[in-house]
Structures are given as structure tokens and as C-alpha cells.
């Protein structure tokens, strides 16, 4: 027996004054209404309604039961309204897992606009470090990957961010602006101690892609950097103060590029890029606050497979094919 349904039918029978009227109001067959009330009485082991040919009358137990049934149904209706409002009106607490650099250099400056639009949503940012998987204990996980995402979750691309070489104008005025990657051997560099980089940095220019694999490329083994740290903000601060040339993601240095505190080095050459994603554990019953925040992120970052930060700073990677480079393997690996 569906006890909640039987409760609703019982209360409606009393409110309408007859089984037939309740059946019409509920769009049920009279026999179904009669059966549900009878099943409820059998379940309780007590008669709730005395039936006569002219009218219905509640028993003493029925009177007491009706009062409590009304309270129960009111609580159920209130709970349903609360749950429904959570999926239709943005409000409540939102938990977001995000890499520290994205939290500091991107989300923090955009959150005031989100709060103005949705003042009843509170945001909790958790930034424990590098994030390589979606965490189901959070409403949204923001992560950056070089490979396509794979898993049982819903993900939306926010943007692509290129890792580029940059330095303070003061440093470049003092040491010169390299015109070719091989000239980096004459410069101080700031690089994370990643084994992949120690084996060599791949530089590409020209038309690189699945359809146009042509273009120039070379692999450069960097000399020992003057600063090696996995903390991106430390490299960023050191570059701002003129320590050397750093490799940093565009989203992190957006403001510095716009303010000309940092200058892009070797803008014709491409290193590598990350895709930034916003992911949710499931598509079912997504609260309005989660949908609102995801839509806000897509609006802010564009949701396209392009780098909005380099475009805004006017220093996108030159898409044109430049003159070819005639390098031997020894020359390409000589900057050690």
C-alpha cells in the first residue's frame, strides 16, 4: 500500500464530504478511492469513517488521525517545496574544488559579480593543490588537463590556456629579447622541476594541428634554471621582479600582460596548452546554485577551445607560418 497516497485520499474524502466527490476531485475511479481508504483502515486496524447512505462521519480515532494526517501532509508538501526551490532558485551553499592558481588569479576577481547576481548563494572554495580528477563530494570541480577528460561525470570546457614564456620588460631591456628559442641558453630561466621539462622543451611554430601538421619544431634542453619551483606564484613573483624568463599559463599572468608588467617572449612559438574544465558528478537534480555558477563560469571564460587571456592582452601565438629553421639535432640540443 502507498500509505502517503492513501493519506491524501482519506483527507480529500473528508474535505469533499463523499467518496464520489473525492474521486472526481482526484480524477480517480470511485472504486479506487474506496479501496485506498479501506486499505488504510486495514493497515491501521481501526475504522476511521462510519459510512451511511446519506453521509460520512469520522470515528473518534478518525478525528484524531485526521488532525495528524493533515500535519503530516503539510510537512511533506513543505519538504517538497523546499527541494523544488533548491533546483529552481539559486540559494544555499556551493562547494567548489579548484586549483590554487585558478582560485587566486581568476575566480577571486570574478566572485563579486557572481555574488551581486546571486546574493543568496555562498561559495566555499577548496584549493588543496593540483587536481587531476573530479571529486564527487563537491558541487563543481575545476581542473586543467592536457588530455581529454574521461569518466562518469558531466564536464564543460571553460577555456584553453597556453603556457607561454614571459619576463619583465626591465629584465628584457637589460639582457635582450630572444628572437629564437636557441637564444634562451644566454638567459636566466625560471622553470618548475618537472622531469618532462628536464628532458627537453618542445617549441613549435606555424600551422600545427591534425589537419595541418606542417610547421617548424625543435626540442630544447634548458640549462639549469636560476629558480626551480613547482609553486607557480613564486615563479610569477620572481619574473615580475626581473629574475628571468618564466614559463607560465596565460590565465595566471593575464593582469601582468594587460598592465605591461610582463612581456611575452618568443610570441611566434607555441609550447603547450591546458584545457580548463568545470565538472559535476551528475546531471540529475542539479541544484539551481550549481547551474547558476556553471553558467556564470561559461559566461566569464567563454567556453571555447581558445585562449581568451592571450586574446585580451593582444599577444596570441602568431598563427602564420614563419620561415623554416635549418637545425641539426646537435644544434637543437646544444643549450645545456
Amino acid at each position: 500500500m502507498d500509505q502517503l497516497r492513501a493519506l491524501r485520499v482519506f483527507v480529500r474524502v473528508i474535505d469533499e464530504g463523499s467518496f464520489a466527490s473525492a474521486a472526481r476531485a482526484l480524477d480517480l475511479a470511485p472504486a479506487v478511492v474506496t479501496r485506498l481508504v479501506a486499505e488504510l483502515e486495514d493497515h491501521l486496524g481501526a475504522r476511521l469513517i462510519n459510512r451511511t447512505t446519506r453521509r460520512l462521519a469520522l470515528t473518534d480515532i478518525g478525528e484524531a488521525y485526521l488532525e495528524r494526517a493533515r500535519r503530516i501532509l503539510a510537512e511533506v508538501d513543505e519538504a517538497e517545496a523546499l527541494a523544488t526551490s533548491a533546483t529552481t532558485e539559486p540559494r544555499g551553499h556551493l562547494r567548489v574544488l579548484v586549483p590554487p592558481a585558478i582560485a587566486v588569479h581568476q575566480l577571486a576577481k570574478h566572485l563579486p559579480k557572481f555574488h551581486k547576481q546571486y546574493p543568496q548563494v555562498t561559495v566555499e572554495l577548496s584549493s588543496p593543490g593540483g587536481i587531476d580528477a573530479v571529486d564527487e563530494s563537491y558541487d563543481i570541480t575545476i581542473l586543467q588537463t592536457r588530455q581529454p577528460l574521461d569518466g562518469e561525470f558531466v564536464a564543460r570546457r571553460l577555456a584553453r590556456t597556453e603556457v607561454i614564456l614571459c619576463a619583465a620588460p626591465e629584465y628584457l631591456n637589460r639582457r635582450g629579447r630572444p628572437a629564437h628559442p636557441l637564444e634562451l641558453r644566454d638567459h636566466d630561466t625560471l622553470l618548475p622541476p618537472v622531469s618532462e621539462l628536464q628532458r627537453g622543451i618542445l617549441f613549435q611554430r606555424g600551422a600545427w594541428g591534425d589537419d595541418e601538421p606542417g610547421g617548424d619544431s625543435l626540442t630544447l634542453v634548458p640549462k639549469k634554471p636560476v629558480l626551480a619551483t613547482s609553486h607557480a606564484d613564486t615563479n610569477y613573483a620572481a619574473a615580475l621582479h626581473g629574475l628571468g624568463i618564466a614559463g607560465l599559463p596565460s590565465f595566471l599572468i593575464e593582469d601582468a600582460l594587460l598592465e605591461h608588467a610582463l612581456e611575452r617572449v618568443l610570441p611566434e612559438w607555441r609550447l603547450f596548452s591546458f584545457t580548463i574544465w568545470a565538472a559535476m558528478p551528475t546531471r540529475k537534480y542539479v541544484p539551481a546554485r550549481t547551474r547558476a555558477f556553471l553558467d556564470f563560469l561559461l559566461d566569464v571564460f567563454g567556453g571555447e577551445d581558445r585562449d581568451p587571456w592571450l586574446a585580451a592582452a593582444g599577444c596570441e601565438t602568431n598563427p602564420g607560418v614563419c620561415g623554416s629553421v635549418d637545425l641539426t639535432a646537435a644544434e637543437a640540443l646544444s643549450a645545456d
Side-chain angles (χ1 to χ4, degrees):
M1 180 191 69
D2 185 340
Q3 191 171 4
L4 185 60
R5 186 186 185 202
L7 271 180
R8 292 193 185 279
V9 169
F10 165 65
V11 171
R12 198 59 176 263
V13 166
I14 301 306
D15 289 343
E16 297 292 334
S18 71
F19 285 85
S21 296
R24 285 192 295 272
L26 295 170
D27 195 22
L28 296 172
V32 173
V33 172
T34 302
R35 175 176 58 79
L36 287 171
V37 173
E39 288 178 352
L40 180 61
E41 291 178 324
D42 289 343
H43 173 73
L44 297 172
R47 179 175 288 276
L48 301 175
I49 303 173
N50 286 320
R51 303 159 178 79
T52 68
T53 56
R54 294 187 177 182
R55 67 185 183 90
L56 301 177
L58 286 168
T59 63
D60 291 342
I61 294 176
E63 289 275 6
Y65 189 77
L66 176 65
E67 181 181 350
R68 286 163 177 77
R70 290 192 191 280
R71 286 188 212 156
I72 292 169
L73 292 175
E75 290 285 345
V76 170
D77 290 342
E78 184 178 342
E80 289 182 349
L82 180 64
T84 301
S85 68
T87 59
T88 57
E89 180 183 357
R91 62 170 61 243
H93 194 62
L94 182 74
R95 302 185 71 233
V96 181
L97 182 64
V98 56
I102 295 179
V104 171
H105 295 280
Q106 290 300 319
L107 287 191
K109 65 183 178 183
H110 293 298
L111 282 177
K113 181 180 178 182
F114 178 77
H115 178 65
K116 184 176 181 180
Q117 288 181 328
Y118 305 102
Q120 298 189 67
V121 178
T122 58
V123 180
E124 175 188 342
L125 295 184
S126 181
S127 302
I131 299 170
D132 55 12
V134 177
D135 191 327
E136 294 187 357
S137 62
Y138 290 86
D139 298 298
I140 288 181
T141 298
I142 297 175
L143 66 168
Q144 55 188 51
T145 68
R146 294 181 64 179
Q147 303 298 327
L149 286 181
D150 184 26
E152 297 296 324
F153 48 80
V154 180
R156 297 291 301 275
R157 178 180 55 223
L158 298 182
R160 176 165 48 83
T161 179
E162 281 193 49
V163 173
I164 67 170
L165 297 180
C166 58
E170 176 269 330
Y171 170 87
L172 296 172
N173 290 338
R174 184 176 76 250
R175 298 287 299 273
R177 288 167 172 78
H180 189 277
L182 287 179
E183 295 178 25
L184 291 173
R185 60 189 170 187
D186 299 322
H187 283 268
D188 296 328
T189 56
L190 321 174
L191 298 170
V194 180
S195 59
E196 179 183 352
L197 296 181
Q198 309 311 313
R199 293 192 297 268
I201 303 174
L202 176 63
F203 288 82
Q204 297 174 327
R205 70 174 175 179
W208 281 88
D210 294 335
D211 297 328
E212 296 181 283
D216 303 316
S217 71
L218 69 92
T219 300
L220 185 70
V221 178
K223 70 175 184 178
K224 187 175 181 179
V226 295
L227 174 64
T229 174
S230 58
H231 192 256
D233 272 316
T234 300
N235 273 336
Y236 173 56
L240 281 174
H241 288 85
L243 184 59
I245 298 175
L248 294 166
S250 58
F251 74 80
L252 192 151
I253 58 174
E254 175 192 20
D255 292 338
L257 291 174
L258 291 170
E259 296 164 4
H260 305 292
L262 287 178
E263 179 180 322
R264 184 169 184 182
V265 175
L266 299 172
E268 295 178 351
W269 294 86
R270 180 179 291 106
L271 299 178
F272 56 90
S273 61
F274 294 95
T275 299
I276 300 178
W277 304 90
M280 301 180 298
T282 179
R283 195 187 297 272
K284 288 186 177 181
Y285 312 120
V286 178
R289 60 180 178 271
T290 304
R291 291 202 310 271
F293 192 69
L294 179 59
D295 290 343
F296 178 79
L297 293 176
L298 289 168
D299 181 62
V300 166
F301 300 123
E304 299 179 8
D305 186 22
R306 62 187 295 267
D307 192 315
W309 301 287
L310 292 184
C315 58
E316 291 180 280
T317 304
N318 190 337
V321 179
C322 302
S324 61
V325 182
D326 185 13
L327 294 172
T328 66
E331 287 173 325
L333 299 175
S334 63
D336 55 2

